Amino acid sequence: MNYRVLFIISFLILGIGFLGLFFAPEITNNEKVSQEIQSVVQKVKTKTVVVTTATLKRNVEKGSLLQEDDYQLSDLTLETTEGDDEPLLAYDLKPLFEQAKVNSLQGFLLDQNMTKDSIIDPTKVIAPNSPEFLVSSINPAQEVAYNVPVKGNDDYILQTVKSGTYVSVYSYQDGVGSENQNRNDLVKVLDNLLVLQVVSGQQEEQEKKSPVAGFVTLKMTAEQAKKLYTLPKRASLVLLPTDKSTPVNSHGTFIRKLRG
């Protein structure tokens, strides 16, 4: 082998070594970057969550109390990751239900106009047990939220009526002290009143009186409230569910009937 061939081979070896000095670190760095990316991907946590949403079946106006046939509840399964901004997560009703200790939107106050097929935003409804519920439910210039006490022996009423349903108010008076002592009178006073709240809780009235099992808060006009204050002292209020209006006794006839 002559010197010219040896020179060429030596030159090629030097060239390969020279190139290796520049490109080997780049290859090593690329491998490190790839490993770091794989490590980050492995650290991203994914989880499956089930959200509960409500879709309106019809148009509902602001200030309305939702009825169970106004909306449809649905459970949706979502795959989420940390930091995920999945829009449906904001419409999950479960935290609201847990806070209000309920499993539906029955009696919740809608705080904005909404159209059919809209998904209800939990921040746009007010729960019946919320402090601002009563104030938002009535027109203070024309309406009142009237509390009707429910005695212990009538506690079935607390289990029967719900916020958002309608009741009729009857006046009950036994015949003791009247001309017709063997007759009990149950006379309708007001009809088709909206139930705002139902509050259970044993409380004692004055001595020798029946304990109060709870209260039912009704939405009524000032004129309707005045009518309740004109009832005989011995009269007790009784609430019964109603789904349609029926005639109410005129005031004069009503008073005469109670007095016997």
Side-chain angles (χ1 to χ4, degrees):
M1 184 179 293
N2 57 35
Y3 291 104
R4 180 174 297 184
V5 174
L6 290 175
F7 177 77
I8 293 173
I9 292 174
S10 300
F11 182 79
L12 290 174
I13 292 173
L14 289 173
I16 292 171
F18 181 77
L19 291 173
L21 293 175
F22 287 92
F23 290 101
E26 182 176 349
I27 295 173
T28 302
N29 290 337
N30 287 339
E31 291 177 350
K32 289 182 178 179
V33 171
S34 178
Q35 292 174 355
E36 290 176 358
I37 292 174
Q38 291 178 0
S39 177
V40 171
V41 171
Q42 291 174 353
K43 289 181 180 179
V44 174
K45 296 182 179 179
T46 61
K47 62 179 180 178
T48 300
V49 296
V50 178
V51 299
T52 300
T53 62
T55 305
L56 286 178
K57 296 180 180 180
R58 57 177 64 91
N59 297 340
V60 182
E61 295 182 356
K62 178 181 179 180
S64 301
L65 295 190
L66 292 170
Q67 307 295 317
E68 290 184 350
D69 57 356
D70 287 337
Y71 60 89
Q72 176 66 49
L73 290 178
S74 302
D75 288 332
L76 304 176
T77 302
L78 304 175
E79 293 290 337
T80 63
T81 59
E82 289 185 353
D84 192 355
D85 58 351
E86 166 60 51
L88 283 176
L89 291 176
Y91 292 89
D92 187 12
L93 296 172
K94 285 183 178 178
L96 181 64
F97 287 168
E98 292 175 359
Q99 182 179 4
K101 298 180 180 180
V102 296
N103 55 12
S104 76
L105 291 175
Q106 169 72 38
F108 277 63
L109 178 71
L110 193 61
D111 199 28
Q112 66 175 15
N113 295 327
M114 293 192 69
T115 58
K116 179 182 177 182
D117 296 328
S118 298
I119 300 178
I120 297 177
D121 186 342
T123 64
K124 301 302 181 182
V125 292
I126 303 175
N129 62 349
S130 174
E132 65 267 25
F133 178 82
L134 290 181
V135 176
S136 303
S137 300
I138 63 173
N139 179 354
Q142 301 175 353
E143 299 169 327
V144 296
Y146 189 94
N147 278 340
V148 178
V150 178
K151 295 183 178 180
N153 55 346
D154 294 329
D155 60 354
Y156 68 91
I157 295 175
L158 301 174
Q159 308 299 325
T160 304
V161 301
K162 299 179 181 179
S163 177
T165 59
Y166 288 82
V167 297
S168 293
V169 180
Y170 292 80
S171 179
Y172 170 81
Q173 181 179 337
D174 60 33
V176 177
S178 67
E179 295 179 2
N180 301 309
Q181 295 189 10
N182 295 324
R183 187 186 72 188
N184 295 330
D185 285 311
L186 185 64
V187 181
K188 180 181 288 188
V189 186
L190 299 172
D191 192 32
N192 207 37
L193 295 180
L194 180 65
V195 177
L196 295 178
Q197 285 182 327
V198 179
V199 180
S200 299
Q202 194 79 6
Q203 297 181 4
E204 292 291 336
E205 287 185 322
Q206 299 176 6
E207 292 183 4
K208 298 182 181 180
K209 288 189 176 182
S210 300
V212 174
F215 295 87
V216 176
T217 305
L218 304 177
K219 179 179 180 178
M220 63 180 69
T221 64
E223 291 300 319
Q224 289 172 321
K226 289 179 183 178
K227 200 169 190 178
L228 297 180
Y229 284 106
T230 63
L231 297 176
K233 292 182 179 179
R234 293 191 303 273
S236 299
L237 297 182
V238 176
L239 306 179
L240 295 177
T242 183
D243 58 357
K244 61 181 179 180
S245 297
T246 55
V248 178
N249 293 77
S250 64
H251 185 67
T253 303
F254 164 70
I255 294 296
R256 286 196 300 272
K257 187 173 181 181
L258 282 182
R259 290 177 178 173

